[in-house]
Amino acid sequence: MKWTIPALFLLFLAPQLFAQDSTFKFQVSFTDKNNNPYSLDRPLEFLSAEAMERRENQGILLDSLDLPVTPTYLAQLRQMGVRVLFVTRWFNSAVVALEDSSLLADIQSLPFVKGVEYRGTAEGMEINMADTDTNLFLPGKRNYGQSFNQIQMMNGQWLHEQGFQGAGMRIAVLDAGFTRTNQLLAFADLNARNGIVGTHDFYQDTASVYNFASHGTYVLSVMAGNLPGALTGTAPAASYLLLRTEEGATEYLTEEIAWAAGAEYADSAGAWLINSSLGYHFFDDSTMNHTYEMFDGNTTIITRAADLAASRGILVVSSAGNQGDRAFGKITAPSDADSILAVGAVIPEAEYAGFSSRGPSADGRVKPEIAAQGAAVESASLDDLGTVPINGTSLAAPLVTGLAACLWQAFPELSNMQIRDAIIRSASQYNQPDIFLGYGIPDFHTAFQICRTMTGEAVADEHIISVYPNPFSHEFYASFFTPGAADIEVRLTDRTGRVLERWQISSPGEGTLNHHFRVPENVSHGIYFLSFQSNENVYTRKVLKL
């Protein structure tokens, strides 16, 4: 699969490199030399007699650096279609040539691979990598493609770059069905690693959930999907429970009870999070209808069940509802629960989406708490032809759920309510909430820093700045965390200290600044330094321009 992506989407290293029809070289470093058929006791199997004589003459003993790279590691690379150019035993690595960008994520996921670093093109472009940052390809770096905006809007890619992709976290998805989730390419990785750890249909009392509605398929895809160059979910390494609690053909209060049963199942099965992209207000039997006054956090069955799940230590994330452009206009149950995260929707430009249900709750609490992209959300296509844009707070909620799982993975010692609090405090309008977006769009870089303070840890310098892509072509994004209000000067300098570009940005208070930088095309390729000066503090990152 070769990429031909418009320049606007070339925001990460792999998409950037593979935008051209070219071959690129990478160094694949291995974690060890385990399971090696060679032994230092039998050196003549991998060293010549002449080499041994020279060593003996100089009293040089053999050590592990002399052992060849484990042959099965190389064999597995080749079986994946990777062309191995040469191998170095001293550095326990192989240089490979790639034309297919989708192989990068596959290589990085191998348990014996320590890291993958860009090493040049086959066309002869020479860049001195000797003093660039090591591990330019971070283990968490993935190919977001069209799904980049919905993740970058919340700075979720920063968590992924730190290696937090939801591993060890279990997410229960309560929905109407998961058509073809066991077959679609978007879930091939999920199924191959047995990432679906439990399923149940509460209407059929069966484990099969794959033959009903497709709503849950779309919801799951924005958390767990993986189509390199097109779609990456917000928690691609998490495990999932798929629970059918909604009967799509009808609407009755039994569905709220089924939801409660699903939440209990999730609790028993050890879920850390529940994603609920369901909302209840009107029913086929109008006598069951909920009035706005009932959305007080304590009345409806499903709302009480959501708070009970939260009391058991589960972080419940619920869509706020799609009533914004209808007569009712308000949030639906269970998003009125007081111990959960209700998620409203914004359009790709990060502005309120008119269909998103508005707050407050009937008892005057801020609702929704936060908002995420809910219009034109890239989701897995049911015909296996890539992605399809879907609208609704149903898609905004799982975007948040997945990133909340990644955040919790980083701080498993924190409670569900502490994770909830950090996400809310990180949001874009935390000090001025409204009825449309609540506290605003969360920033998971900032939420990470808030969690660090909760654990008593100081914010580490390496977590202050994030630059992506790195290497870059003519543009990049940078995130800078600041503990308070500040005027910040950003400089791009060369190795001599000469300033090539200068920018002025301001922070109104604690939080993460996200800025899009463009560098003139006349700046040649090479190594540069991006520095952020805030008050008396200067933080610098090394960057590479291709």
Side-chain angles (χ1 to χ4, degrees):
M1 179 179 67
K2 296 178 181 177
W3 291 16
T4 53
I5 301 176
L8 179 62
F9 296 106
L10 305 183
L11 299 173
F12 275 84
L13 179 56
Q16 181 69 56
L17 291 177
F18 286 95
Q20 307 172 41
D21 188 8
S22 304
T23 300
F24 294 86
K25 291 181 282 190
F26 300 87
Q27 182 178 6
V28 180
S29 299
F30 305 115
T31 57
D32 53 58
K33 293 184 178 180
N34 295 341
N35 304 311
N36 203 312
Y38 299 100
S39 170
L40 294 179
D41 296 331
R42 304 188 305 275
L44 290 178
E45 293 180 4
F46 54 88
L47 291 174
S48 69
E50 291 80 6
M52 288 300 301
E53 181 180 359
R54 187 187 70 247
R55 289 169 179 255
E56 291 170 1
N57 289 343
Q58 300 177 60
I60 300 172
L61 300 177
L62 295 174
D63 62 27
S64 62
L65 294 180
D66 295 311
L67 282 174
V69 170
T70 302
T72 54
Y73 296 171
L74 302 175
Q76 287 193 52
L77 288 177
R78 293 187 176 102
Q79 288 170 7
M80 293 167 58
V82 175
R83 182 156 57 99
V84 178
L85 298 179
F86 49 86
V87 179
T88 166
R89 67 179 70 194
W90 289 351
F91 295 96
N92 197 24
S93 62
V95 172
V96 303
L98 296 181
E99 297 177 354
D100 184 348
S101 61
S102 66
L103 291 174
L104 281 174
D106 295 337
I107 294 171
Q108 292 168 4
S109 68
L110 292 171
F112 54 81
V113 170
K114 181 180 181 180
V116 182
E117 297 175 272
Y118 171 64
R119 288 304 187 220
T121 70
E123 282 70 36
M125 181 179 74
E126 297 182 359
I127 298 177
N128 179 10
M129 300 290 288
D131 54 356
T132 63
D133 289 338
T134 58
N135 199 21
L136 288 174
F137 268 99
L138 293 166
K141 199 83 84 169
R142 302 181 70 88
N143 304 327
Y144 295 89
Q146 294 156 287
S147 64
F148 179 74
N149 189 74
Q150 61 207 43
I151 295 177
Q152 185 271 337
M153 185 182 294
M154 296 183 286
N155 230 346
Q157 81 295 332
W158 187 87
L159 284 177
H160 290 176
E161 289 175 359
Q162 311 310 309
F164 303 115
Q165 298 178 11
M169 305 303 295
R170 180 165 294 184
I171 301 172
V173 187
L174 278 58
D175 218 288
F178 304 86
T179 301
R180 300 195 67 207
T181 296
N182 57 337
Q183 300 172 344
L184 293 175
L185 288 175
F187 302 109
D189 287 352
L190 177 68
N191 290 312
R193 63 179 176 84
N194 296 316
I196 299 174
V197 295
T199 60
H200 193 74
D201 182 334
F202 285 86
Y203 296 100
Q204 307 295 323
D205 192 23
T206 176
S208 177
V209 295
Y210 303 121
N211 300 316
F212 293 95
S214 58
H215 187 269
T217 305
Y218 297 128
V219 167
L220 181 65
S221 72
V222 303
M223 290 185 284
N226 182 29
L227 291 171
L231 173 68
T232 291
T234 51
S239 61
Y240 293 87
L241 298 164
L242 306 185
L243 308 177
R244 182 173 179 252
T245 66
E246 159 76 12
E247 195 167 30
T250 60
E251 197 83 323
Y252 291 99
L253 275 175
T254 51
E255 290 165 281
E256 293 196 19
I257 302 170
W259 193 101
E264 293 169 12
Y265 183 106
D267 177 32
S268 298
W272 290 61
L273 303 97
I274 287 176
N275 182 86
S276 174
S277 291
L278 304 169
Y280 297 95
H281 174 217
F282 295 116
F283 295 92
D284 292 349
D285 181 346
S286 61
T287 63
M288 298 180 180
N289 288 352
H290 297 325
T291 63
Y292 174 58
E293 289 71 26
M294 297 173 72
F295 296 143
D296 60 359
N298 298 299
T299 301
T300 69
I301 296 170
I302 192 171
T303 295
R304 285 182 282 155
D307 276 339
L308 283 170
S311 74
R312 269 64 181 166
I314 298 173
L315 179 60
V316 180
V317 182
S318 172
S319 56
N322 301 326
Q323 296 289 321
D325 54 2
R326 301 176 185 178
F328 180 66
K330 300 292 187 178
I331 58 169
T332 55
S335 62
D336 63 309
D338 60 20
S339 299
I340 72 168
L341 279 175
V343 185
V346 296
I347 62 176
E349 292 75 23
E351 299 173 355
Y352 171 68
F355 59 78
S356 182
S357 289
R358 301 184 296 274
S361 64
D363 57 331
R365 287 174 289 114
V366 172
K367 287 288 177 176
E369 276 88 1
I370 55 175
Q373 185 172 332
V377 176
E378 292 297 332
S379 312
S381 170
L382 298 180
D383 58 12
D384 249 351
L385 296 178
T387 62
V388 59
I390 303 291
N391 295 336
T393 58
S394 289
L395 282 302
L399 289 172
V400 170
T401 302
L403 293 179
C406 297
L407 180 66
W408 212 351
Q409 176 196 354
F411 301 95
E413 68 273 30
L414 296 183
S415 71
N416 61 334
M417 299 309 289
Q418 286 177 306
I419 294 295
R420 176 182 182 269
D421 181 57
I423 293 170
I424 290 173
R425 286 170 56 192
S426 78
S428 58
Q429 52 188 44
Y430 176 63
N431 293 317
Q432 293 182 309
D434 60 28
I435 64 173
F436 302 101
L437 308 184
Y439 295 103
I441 300 169
D443 186 303
F444 280 87
H445 186 181
T446 297
F448 183 92
Q449 316 301 353
I450 293 172
C451 287
R452 286 189 73 94
T453 62
M454 288 180 176
T455 62
E457 299 180 44
V459 176
D461 284 356
E462 62 268 24
H463 292 145
I464 297 291
I465 301 175
S466 173
V467 180
Y468 51 91
N470 186 18
F472 67 94
S473 180
H474 299 299
E475 60 182 356
F476 58 87
Y477 286 79
S479 300
F480 178 75
F481 176 78
T482 174
D487 292 323
I488 300 162
E489 181 174 90
V490 185
R491 296 182 180 183
L492 183 70
T493 61
D494 62 18
R495 287 197 253 190
T496 69
R498 181 169 60 97
V499 178
L500 303 176
E501 287 291 321
R502 190 192 311 263
W503 300 271
Q504 296 288 340
I505 55 179
S506 296
S507 169
E510 179 188 54
T512 300
L513 293 174
N514 300 297
H515 202 75
H516 187 192
F517 297 91
R518 290 185 174 86
V519 177
E521 294 187 7
N522 60 4
V523 175
S524 61
H525 68 76
I527 298 167
Y528 297 93
F529 298 90
L530 187 71
S531 64
F532 289 71
Q533 180 168 353
S534 174
N535 298 323
E536 300 301 319
N537 300 314
V538 179
Y539 302 91
T540 302
R541 283 288 178 273
K542 194 179 298 180
V543 296
L544 175 64
K545 185 179 185 299
L546 296 175

